[in-house]
């Protein structure tokens, strides 16, 4: 444990201690706690992403009759649990004045829920409901993200916060990247795996992910024990010193946050996460519709595209702090974050000269008709599976007969490559090019990390040194809500109305948010801490008071003189 603690240590430089707010030992303890927060945020993201690629085959193995509809409930249980409990856990942390107990409880719940996921074979019945329950509990445990963000705001100085929030965002991104990688790594165990409890419990490629979460959760739990994690809140001390107050509570109560700015940033966070999650959800079906890729091709290509995008996003997280030292944070947020996201949506509006390919199942009738016309049917073959398909790509201007029967897959569905005829807009809209898709994704990979990091950073500064658990819980909940609404938007707008409505509406949504942020840019600033301003105001008030007193005295003297003169002038008349 001592060796692990040494790895977390950060030594202060001379400039770090110039403000006199802490000693070198306190500085090291504070940054040790911040780095533990980084790991916690990484683990919460990992807990969500590590099962995404394996949850469907695992569910299908446990209960072949569960169906993909129930899979949607299992995937959605995590963000729903986090959305409901994030404000509550944040409020709990505020009430306690400490994040240790909420985080210890959350991490214990995380480990227990992950253990349930790994031991689903032990339940004789209702295994799919136990899986749903375990994913919901992991979502509840992930609500600790709210208190982590709250503590990060309290444990960093204003000048440190942008860099710290950037690193937290990077940790979360790495969690989403590493999760599927770990799932791929444990496939070496195979579907049968190694027996842990004879004929009852196995360590296989599905349960191994749960056990990884259990072990990492226990490690994280130990890191929050008192002899490792020491809470060091410096934001309130910084404000108290600069304001000249006597207590932290008196300090933050005297500094009223701009609530309009706070709710503006929460709304912007919702819009930004919604657009990002929507694209992540839509990417695979979109490429299959537009480019007539098979599932194998779509997964293969998107894996590489998302990997490159993740590397690009990670680089942007590291560049945010240097950028904000040269330009105001609001400007970087608006032009580096939202403007690029607007461009990313606008680029996706169809610009191809040709419509998307319409894929129809090949049947014997069509094949024979084509042979009579001496037309060689184009039979599609996957470059990655080496399995020839009996599906053909058909252009909209194809003048031949349209088949009504097709080859059925194992589950009875007719598989088709390209834009399905059931989507009526496929027959009237123009297609998207691969270049469009890649450029739009690149804009998103750059704009999203800038936007999500700076919204959180500016939000914490707008709130000031006050406890931020409840507020961070609300922001986290808004992000979870956007993750839940993304698939709904996909099923209603994209499938029914097509590309123009989908990307046109999201581009307008992002542009409107960007314009509102531009209008609010002067208010998206930290609460002023400077005591000199208060002194200048006090001097100004005293000066104005002295001037008023002088004017009043002069007026009174003038009045007395006037009254005296009147008396003198009236005396002779009376006599």
């Amino acid at each position: 444990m001592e060796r692990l603690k040494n790895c977390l240590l950060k030594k202060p430089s001379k400039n770090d201690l110039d403000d006199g707010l802490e000693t070198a030992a306190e500085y090291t303890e504070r940054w040790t706690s911040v780095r533990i927060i980084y790991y916690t945020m990484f683990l919460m993201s990992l807990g969500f992403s590590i099962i995404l690629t394996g949850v469907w085959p695992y569910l299908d193995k446990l209960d072949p009759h569960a169906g993909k509809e129930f899979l949607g409930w299992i995937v959605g249980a995590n963000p729903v649990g986090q959305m409901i409990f994030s404000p509550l856990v944040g409020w709990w942390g505020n009430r306690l004045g400490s994040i240790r107990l909420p985080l210890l409880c959350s991490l214990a719940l995380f480990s227990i829920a992950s253990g349930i996921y790994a031991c689903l074979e032990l339940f004789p019945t209702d295994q799919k409901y136990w899986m749903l329950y375990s994913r919901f509990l992991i979502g509840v445990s992930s609500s600790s993200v709210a208190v982590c963000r709250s503590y990060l705001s309290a444990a960093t100085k204003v000048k440190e916060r942008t860099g710290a929030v950037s690193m937290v965002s990077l940790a979360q991104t790495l969690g989403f990247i590493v999760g599927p990688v770990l799932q791929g790594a444990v496939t070496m165990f195979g579907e049968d795996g190694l027996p842990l409890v004879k004929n009852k419990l196995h360590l296989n490629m599905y349960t191994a992910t749960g056990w990884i979460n259990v072990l990492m959760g226990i490690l994280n739990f130990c890191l929050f024990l008192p002899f490792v994690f020491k809470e060091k809140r410096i934001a309130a001390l910084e404000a108290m010193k600069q304001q000249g107050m006597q207590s932290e509570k008196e300090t933050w109560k005297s500094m009223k946050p701009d609530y309009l700015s706070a709710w503006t940033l929460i709304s912007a966070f919702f819009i930004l996460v919604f657009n990002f999650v929507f694209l992540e959800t839509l990417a695979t079906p979109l490429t299959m519709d537009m480019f007539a890729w098979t599932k194998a091709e779509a997964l293969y290509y998107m894996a590489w595209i998302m990997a490159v995008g993740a590397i690009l996003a990670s680089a942007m997280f590291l560049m945010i702090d240097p950028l904000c030292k040269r330009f105001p944070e609001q400007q970087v947020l608006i032009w580096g974050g939202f403007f690029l996201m607007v461009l990313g949506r606008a680029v996706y509006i169809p610009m191809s000269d040709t419509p998307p390919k319409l894929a129809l199942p090949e049947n014997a009738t069509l094949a024979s008709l084509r042979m009579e016309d001496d037309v060689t049917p184009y039979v599609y073959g996957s470059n990655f599976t080496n399995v020839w398909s009996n599906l053909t790509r058909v252009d909209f201007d194809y003048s031949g007969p349209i088949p009504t029967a097709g080859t059925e897959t194992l589950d009875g569905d007719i598989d088709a490559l390209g834009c399905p005829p059931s989507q009526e807009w496929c027959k009237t809209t123009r297609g998207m090019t691969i270049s469009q898709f890649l450029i739009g994704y690149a804009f998103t990979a750059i704009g999203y990390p800038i936007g999500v990091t700076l919204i959180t950073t500016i939000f914490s500064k707008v709130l000031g040194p006050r406890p931020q658990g409840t507020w961070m819980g609300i922001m986290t909940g808004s992000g979870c809500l956007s993750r839940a609404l993304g698939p709904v938007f996909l099923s209603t707008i994209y499938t029914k109305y097509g590309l123009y409505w989908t990307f046109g509406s999201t581009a307008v949504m992002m542009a409107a948010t960007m314009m509102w942020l531009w209008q609010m840019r002067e208010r998206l600033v930290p609460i002023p801490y400077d005591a000199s301003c208060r002194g200048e105001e006090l001097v100004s008030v005293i000066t104005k008071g002295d001037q008023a007193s002088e004017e009043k005295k002069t007026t009174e003297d003038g009045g007395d003189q006037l009254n005296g003169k009147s008396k003198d002038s009236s005396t002779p008349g009376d006599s």
Side-chain angles (χ1 to χ4, degrees), residues 333-539:
L333 170 64
I334 293 169
W335 297 109
F338 274 80
F339 182 66
L340 291 180
M341 290 289 286
V342 171
L343 289 180
R345 297 300 163 271
V347 165
Y348 280 152
I349 296 175
M351 300 178 186
S352 176
D353 295 331
T354 59
K357 300 289 184 180
L358 178 63
L360 297 170
E362 185 66 62
N363 62 8
T365 303
L366 181 58
S368 62
L369 288 172
R370 284 184 170 179
M371 290 178 67
E372 291 175 3
D373 295 336
D374 293 326
V375 177
T376 302
Y378 177 79
V379 181
Y380 181 77
S382 170
N383 295 328
F384 304 102
T385 60
N386 293 323
V387 177
W388 288 92
S389 170
N390 61 343
L391 303 176
T392 182
R393 291 172 175 155
V394 182
D395 290 328
F396 284 118
D397 57 357
Y398 172 65
S399 58
I402 297 178
T404 57
T407 303
E408 293 188 353
T409 59
L410 293 176
D411 57 1
D413 296 330
I414 296 177
D415 200 5
L417 299 178
C419 209
S422 59
Q423 296 176 172
E424 293 295 329
W425 56 268
C426 291
K427 304 172 184 177
T428 57
T429 190
R430 291 193 291 179
M432 178 190 294
T433 66
I434 294 180
S435 299
Q436 276 183 266
F437 181 78
L438 294 177
I439 292 171
Y441 199 89
F443 280 139
T444 301
I446 297 172
Y448 177 75
I450 295 175
V452 75
T453 299
L454 289 181
I455 286 176
T456 308
T457 302
I458 297 172
F459 183 68
S460 69
K461 293 180 180 180
V462 165
L463 294 177
R466 67 186 55 248
Q468 299 179 6
T470 305
W471 281 101
M472 287 297 179
I474 294 173
M475 175 168 276
T476 303
S478 71
C480 296
L481 180 62
S482 66
R483 285 162 57 190
L485 292 180
V488 177
F489 192 83
L490 169 65
S491 61
T492 55
I493 304 299
Y494 174 74
T495 57
K496 292 183 180 180
Y497 301 105
L499 299 180
Y500 288 106
W501 277 97
T502 299
F503 294 110
S505 61
T506 51
V508 169
M509 187 189 305
M510 291 295 301
T513 307
M514 176 184 168
M515 292 174 64
W516 179 246
L517 288 173
W518 175 257
Q519 291 293 324
M520 292 286 295
R521 67 189 184 281
E522 300 297 334
R523 299 175 64 169
L524 300 178
V525 294
I527 298 179
Y529 288 0
D530 196 356
S532 62
C533 295
R534 296 175 66 249
E536 290 172 3
E537 291 174 2
L538 185 60
V539 170

Side-chain angles (χ1 to χ4, degrees), residues 79-376:
V80 169
Q82 189 178 12
M83 178 182 67
I84 294 172
F85 282 87
S86 287
L88 298 176
V89 174
W91 174 83
W92 185 25
N94 282 356
R95 292 284 294 177
L96 292 176
S98 170
I99 67 168
R100 191 189 309 278
L101 182 58
L103 279 167
L104 288 175
C105 293
S106 296
L107 290 167
L109 181 62
F110 178 85
S111 298
I112 292 171
S114 299
I116 293 174
Y117 182 85
C119 297
L120 290 174
E121 293 175 293
L122 297 177
F123 298 98
T125 59
D126 298 327
Q127 292 170 324
K128 66 178 183 180
Y129 293 108
W130 280 104
M131 180 182 284
L132 176 68
Y133 182 58
S134 70
R135 295 306 300 168
F136 178 79
L137 290 181
I138 289 177
V140 173
S141 69
S142 299
S143 59
S144 59
V145 167
V147 290
C148 287
R149 285 177 173 161
S150 173
Y151 177 75
L152 194 70
S153 300
T156 53
K157 303 172 188 176
V158 173
K159 66 179 182 180
E160 299 170 337
R161 198 159 306 154
T162 302
V165 174
S166 299
M167 293 304 297
V168 157
S169 301
L170 176 60
Q172 287 183 289
T173 301
L174 290 176
F176 283 115
I177 297 171
V178 172
V181 172
L182 289 177
Q183 172 67 87
V186 297
T187 54
M188 62 181 181
F189 291 114
E191 193 166 347
D192 296 328
L194 305 173
L196 297 179
V197 178
K198 190 174 181 180
N199 298 326
K200 289 186 177 181
L201 184 63
H202 298 82
L203 176 65
N204 56 36
M205 62 182 184
Y206 306 129
T207 61
T209 56
W211 292 119
I212 290 173
N213 278 343
V214 170
L215 294 176
M216 297 184 74
I218 293 173
L219 172 62
N220 205 171
F221 183 93
C222 294
L223 290 176
F224 278 100
L225 294 176
F227 56 86
V228 179
F229 182 85
K230 300 183 185 298
E231 293 188 51
K232 297 291 181 180
R233 301 174 184 269
I234 200 169
L237 289 175
E238 181 183 31
M240 185 175 70
K241 180 180 179 181
Q242 294 180 351
Q243 289 279 57
M245 297 290 185
Q246 298 300 317
S247 69
E248 295 181 10
K249 189 172 183 180
E250 180 187 4
T251 301
W252 61 259
K253 279 195 170 184
S254 68
M255 303 170 69
K256 299 297 181 183
D258 186 343
Y259 291 111
L260 179 60
S261 297
W263 283 108
T264 294
L265 291 168
I266 290 174
S267 302
F269 187 77
F270 172 84
I271 296 295
L272 188 71
V273 175
F274 174 84
N275 275 268
F276 177 75
V277 172
F278 171 67
L279 178 60
E280 294 290 292
T281 306
L282 180 63
T284 299
L286 175 66
T287 54
M288 293 176 68
D289 288 351
M290 290 295 103
F291 313 133
W293 288 350
T294 63
K295 292 178 181 178
E297 282 182 322
L299 292 175
Y300 180 86
Y301 284 135
M302 284 309 305
W304 280 102
I305 292 171
M306 293 176 72
V308 174
I311 294 172
L312 188 59
S314 300
M316 292 311 305
F317 283 125
L318 298 176
M319 291 178 62
I320 290 172
D321 194 31
L323 278 174
C324 291
K325 290 179 179 178
R326 297 193 61 183
F327 306 101
E329 289 179 343
Q330 311 95 299
Q331 303 290 347
V332 178
L333 170 64
I334 293 169
W335 297 109
F338 274 80
F339 182 66
L340 291 180
M341 290 289 286
V342 171
L343 289 180
R345 297 300 163 271
V347 165
Y348 280 152
I349 296 175
M351 300 178 186
S352 176
D353 295 331
T354 59
K357 300 289 184 180
L358 178 63
L360 297 170
E362 185 66 62
N363 62 8
T365 303
L366 181 58
S368 62
L369 288 172
R370 284 184 170 179
M371 290 178 67
E372 291 175 3
D373 295 336
D374 293 326
V375 177
T376 302

Side-chain angles (χ1 to χ4, degrees), residues 556-575:
E556 289 176 352
D557 291 343
D560 291 342
Q561 292 175 2
L562 183 60
N563 291 336
K565 186 176 181 180
S566 299
K567 283 182 179 181
D568 293 341
S569 60
S570 61
T571 303
D574 292 339
S575 61

Side-chain angles (χ1 to χ4, degrees), residues 49-65:
S49 66
I50 195 171
I51 62 97
L52 286 181
T53 55
V55 65
W56 167 241
Y58 189 25
L59 175 64
D60 192 52
K61 178 184 178 183
L62 294 172
D63 188 347
H65 302 290

Side-chain angles (χ1 to χ4, degrees), residues 538-552:
L538 185 60
V539 170
S540 177
V541 170
I542 293 173
T543 303
K544 289 180 180 178
D546 291 343
Q547 290 176 353
S549 299
E550 290 292 337
E551 291 175 0
K552 184 176 181 181

